Every structure is written in structure tokens, then in C-alpha cells.
Amino acid sequence: MIRKTRLFTPGPTPLLPAAQFAMAAADLHHRTPEFRALYVRVLEQLRTFIGTKNDVILMACSGSGVMEASVANITSPGDRVLVLSAGKFGERWTGIAKAYNCDVDLVSVPYGQTFSLDAVKAALKVETRAVYMQANESSTGTRHDVEGVAKLLQDAKSDAVLVVDAITGLGTTHFDADAWGVDIMIGGSQKAVMIPPGLAYCSVSEKAWELMGNALNPRYYFDLRKERKNAAKGESSYTPAISLIAGLSTALDYIASQADGDLAAGRAKLVNNAETIAAMTRAAVEALGLKLFSASPGAALTAVLPPAGVDSGVVVKELKSRFGAIITNGQGEMKGQLFRIAHIGYFDYLDTIAIIGALEQVAAKSLKLPGFEFGKALAAAQQTFAERTSVTQPELAAAR
Ligand SMILES: *Cc1c(COP(=O)(O)O)cnc(C)c1O
């Protein structure tokens, strides 16, 4: 059979065709009224997409660049920071904080788990300047409790700012960043917003802006305060990634169009979409007799354990070679031990049914699962879809 290549990866994610056309057509200079209008518009759209009234800063870099900015701009050498780590991306916070000579307190739990709020509370100190966490740990598929951590900081009347890497949390999780008190919320272009890598963005609270005034760590390109000043004039400090910005605006228009032009409602719909696809996928793999890796799975992706004695690379390779479906293996030390199927961004019902169907074919050929039968995973996914969407219980009963 012929193969169509399709991404089922948690970043880069599949591209929105309308955004690709907008990128190809973006032939403009950045010191012009045309670009300024686009830039002001996209910053406003991002504010709605994040769900905040705070300033939003957009930069030409991958997500890790703005993660670094959120350390460089907030801290001074010797500052105590608290890192909550449960996987590869949590470890990245520790690496960045150490590179800026912060004194790192660490709450660390094994891959696949999430930290208890009691452990966070115990590790929080009066002098903690910032708390760094992921909303969703993409290496394990685990959702962390951002609201719980935010509340804990409020209850403790902590001076610390809460910095959330929501790079795979945005568009897959219902957040209320301002009400919860998230100070910096970070996103990236190659995830929920359906465009290629190269842009990262963050919201910044008043409290965080104030802290920056006396932060002594060095920064030049990643100077958030300079970026804020220029953004107020509709400009970026340096040459922006113009075509990506045009694509981003179009993608956010698409998300709004899913809810009659209301971007906040479209964002909620996108999150519910990911939740439904994640639930379908979990039901499907469990129906096959496979186990989930994460104890508290989020909706950005599903991490699945291969059967005992099977390398997860078998599933990754066979989905690609037979069906053109690109999924991801475990990262780093988890390579061979799990495979990950993404739901973040531009995925729909038909994509989901297709990848589950292909996974059944791989299982039939290579996984030797006891009691395997074609259709079990698909039936579980169909049932989940029907229950979570418009098919009512009486309709389901009548269909039997
Ligand atoms: C993708 C991702 C990042 C950013 O990685 P970059 O390669 O720098 O874009 C950070 N955190 C999480 C949780 C991610 O999924």
C-alpha cells in the first residue's frame, strides 16, 4: 500500500494547512505598520489563548529559550529556587537554574509519577525566589497539579513567583492562570498552535516584572523587560520570525473559528478535543492489554508500556515503516521502555481512529498479546468517543 506520512509526535505536531499558506505569503518587513498591526494582534490573541490579562512576550527561539529567559530575568546568583521534577523537562529546569548559579532545592519523583503537594510544601522556603514546574511532563505523559501548587504558594503567602512550563500544557489543559496566580506561563509554537518550531511565548505577571528589577543574572537577547518595552510599540527587539508569526495568527484564527470566532471558547474546545482523543487512546491501549506508563496521564500525549520483553522501538519502527505514522520512543534512559502517541494540536477523530487501527495491526504482527483480536481497541475508542461527545445514552442503547 502507499503510505502518507503523518506526525503523531508531541512537538513538532501536524501543521495547519492555512497557517502554512500564511507563512509562505508573509513577505513583509518588520519595521512597517503592516507588521506592527500583525504583531499587536498576535500578542492579543496569545493573551486570550493563555487566558491571561498579563503581558505576553513572544520570542524567536524554541521553548527552552523562554525557559532560560524565565531563569535569567528573575534570579541572581545564589538565589534559592525550587524545581519540581518528574522527567526530562523537569531536569531541564535544574540544568538551567544551575547554569545561572541558582541554589536549587529539588522535589523529584520517579518518571511517570507526580509530586505530592505535601512534598512541595515541605521544600518551600521563606527565601525561595521562584518555583519552576511543568504543567505536563512530555517525556512521561504526566499532568502535574498547577492549580494545587499555585494555591499552596498563595496559602503560604510566599514571595516566590510560580513559573510554569506549559509548552505541552497549553491547549491540552483548562487553566485559569490569573485566578490561580501563575506568574509566568510558557508556550511554544510547535505544540498546540499547529505551526513549526521557532517561536516561544510567555505571560508575565506584575509580581514577576517587579522581581526583574533587582535580578542580577546576565541577559542580552533574552531580556524580557526590553522585549516588553518594544512590544508596547508593536515591535520586537530584534528581527522577529515574521513568517512564523503570520502562521501563528492564522492558526489562532482557526482555533477561534471552531467556536464561532470566540478564541477563548475555541481554546476550551481544543482542550476538550485533546481530552477526548487521549481518553479514546487510553481506552484503546488498555483494551489491547497494554499498560499506561503514567499514574496521572494528561491529554497532550499518551505514554504506553510495551509488553514485557518487547522493545518499544518495535512499535515506533513498525508504525513508520508500514503506515507512515511517526510516534515517539521514550526519551533518554526511557528509550525502548515506552512509546508515546500525541494528541496536542491539530488532531481529530479520524486521525485517532487511524492510529488506533494501525496500532492493532502492529499488535497483531509483533506484540503477541494474550487474547488479541482485531477491533477490541477500536471498539473501546468508539465507545469512549460516543460517551464523550454528542451520542446520548438512549441513542447508544437504541443502537444495540
Ligand atoms: C517541547 C517541550 C519543551 C521545549 O523544548 P524545545 O525543544 O526547546 O522547544 C519544553 N518543555 C516541554 C514540557 C516540552 O514538551
Side-chain angles (χ1 to χ4, degrees), residues 2-6 323-325:
I2 66 162
R3 286 174 301 166
K4 289 165 80 167
T5 300
R6 292 179 177 86
F323 303 104

Side-chain angles (χ1 to χ4, degrees), residues 298-313:
L301 63 122
T302 299
V304 185
L305 292 166
V310 177
D311 188 298
S312 58

Side-chain angles (χ1 to χ4, degrees), residues 40 57 94 225 377:
V40 167
I57 301 297
T94 302
R225 290 197 300 169

Side-chain angles (χ1 to χ4, degrees), residues 22-39 234 239-247:
M23 287 187 283
D27 188 12
L28 69 167
H29 192 271
H30 54 294
R31 306 298 181 206
T32 59
E34 290 77 16
F35 179 78
R36 284 185 204 107
L38 169 66
Y39 201 53
T239 311
I242 297 169
S243 50
L244 286 170
I245 291 170

Side-chain angles (χ1 to χ4, degrees), residues 21 47 75 96 102 170 172 190 208 210 244 266 270 274 289 300 303 305 310 376:
F21 294 129
R47 212 167 277 137
T75 63
I96 298 170
C102 293
L170 282 159
T172 63
Q190 79 275 34
E210 275 164 32
L244 286 170
L270 183 68
L305 292 166
V310 177
K376 272 189 183 172

